[in-house]
C-alpha cells in the first residue's frame, strides 16, 4: 500500500518553505519541480502548438497532450479519456459546470448550499446561478473551528 508523505510532497514545490503558509494555493498555483522542468524544456526546445501543425515536433506535442488526458482519465477512473476536458483553472471549471450543467437543471424550488468560508472564485458562480434560476442560496454557517454548523 502506498504511504503518502506530506513532507516529501512539499519538497517537490520549491516555492514552499517552512516560513510561508499558502492559504490560497489554488490561486497562486504553486508548481512542482516536474512541471517547472517540463515547461522549461518546452520553451527551450520546442515552441510548437497542440493541434496547430503537421511537423514532427507539433505531432509529438499533440501526442503528449493527449497522453496527459489518458493519464488523468486513468487516475480518476473515468469511463474514457474523451470525458476529460482542460480548462485554464478551477475558477473557469466551476463557472463552466455551473452555467453549462446546473443552469438547465435547477428550478426556483432548489437550494444551493455553500459554506460561508468559500473563496469568491467558488462562491460567486453559485450566487449568480441562484439569481438566474430564482433558486434559494443558503450559506452554511461555520464554527470558529471552521467546522460547519448544522
Amino acid at each position: 500500500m502506498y504511504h503518502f508523505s506530506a513532507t516529501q510532497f512539499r519538497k517537490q514545490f520549491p516555492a514552499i518553505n517552512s516560513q510561508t503558509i499558502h492559504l490560497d494555493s489554488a490561486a497562486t498555483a504553486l508548481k512542482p519541480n516536474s512541471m517547472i522542468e517540463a515547461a522549461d524544456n518546452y520553451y527551450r526546445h520546442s515552441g510548437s502548438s497542440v493541434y496547430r501543425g503537421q511537423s514532427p515536433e507539433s505531432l509529438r506535442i499533440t501526442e503528449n497532450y493527449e497522453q496527459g488526458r489518458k493519464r488523468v482519465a486513468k487516475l480518476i477512473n473515468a469511463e474514457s479519456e474523451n470525458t476529460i476536458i482542460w480548462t485554464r483553472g478551477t475558477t473557469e471549471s466551476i463557472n463552466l459546470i455551473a452555467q453549462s450543467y446546473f443552469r438547465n437543471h435547477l428550478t426556483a424550488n432548489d437550494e444551493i448550499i455553500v459554506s460561508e468560508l468559500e473563496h469568491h472564485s467558488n462562491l460567486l458562480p453559485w450566487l449568480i446561478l441562484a439569481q438566474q434560476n430564482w433558486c434559494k442560496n443558503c450559506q452554511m454557517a461555520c464554527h470558529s473551528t471552521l467546522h460547519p454548523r448544522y
Side-chain angles (χ1 to χ4, degrees), residues 84-142:
I84 305 299
I85 62 169
W86 303 123
T87 63
R88 289 175 291 230
T90 304
T91 302
E92 182 181 29
S93 297
I94 293 169
N95 278 287
L96 182 65
I97 291 166
Q99 291 299 317
S100 66
Y101 180 79
F102 285 105
R103 187 169 186 189
N104 295 323
H105 289 85
L106 295 177
T107 66
N109 296 324
D110 292 323
E111 293 181 354
I112 299 173
I113 302 172
V114 293
S115 158
E116 68 181 1
L117 301 175
E118 293 300 331
H119 188 277
H120 270 192
S121 63
N122 187 37
L123 178 62
L124 292 180
W126 304 114
L127 293 177
I128 292 167
L129 183 64
Q131 188 176 39
Q132 291 169 334
N133 287 35
W134 300 93
C135 300
K136 184 177 179 185
N137 177 53
C138 301
Q139 288 194 1
M140 184 184 304
C142 294

Side-chain angles (χ1 to χ4, degrees), residues 8-25 27-36:
Q8 288 302 111
F9 182 78
R10 285 186 191 103
K11 286 181 180 177
Q12 297 176 43
F13 294 81
I16 296 176
N17 64 50
S18 60
Q19 306 304 312
T20 305
I21 298 173
H22 295 273
L23 298 177
D24 194 5
S25 63
T28 54
L30 301 174
K31 315 284 190 293
N33 283 321
S34 58
M35 185 175 172
I36 294 167

Side-chain angles (χ1 to χ4, degrees), residues 34-80:
S34 58
M35 185 175 172
I36 294 167
E37 291 163 7
D40 181 66
N41 184 57
Y42 170 78
Y43 287 115
R44 287 180 188 275
H45 305 291
S46 184
S48 295
S49 297
V50 174
Y51 293 116
R52 297 278 189 229
Q54 292 300 310
S55 71
E57 182 62 14
S58 183
L59 295 173
R60 187 184 70 77
I61 293 294
T62 299
E63 177 60 25
N64 286 346
Y65 180 84
E66 289 303 328
Q67 283 301 315
R69 189 185 310 276
K70 290 176 184 175
R71 288 178 180 162
V72 168
K74 184 177 178 182
L75 177 70
I76 66 171
N77 201 27
E79 270 185 39
S80 163

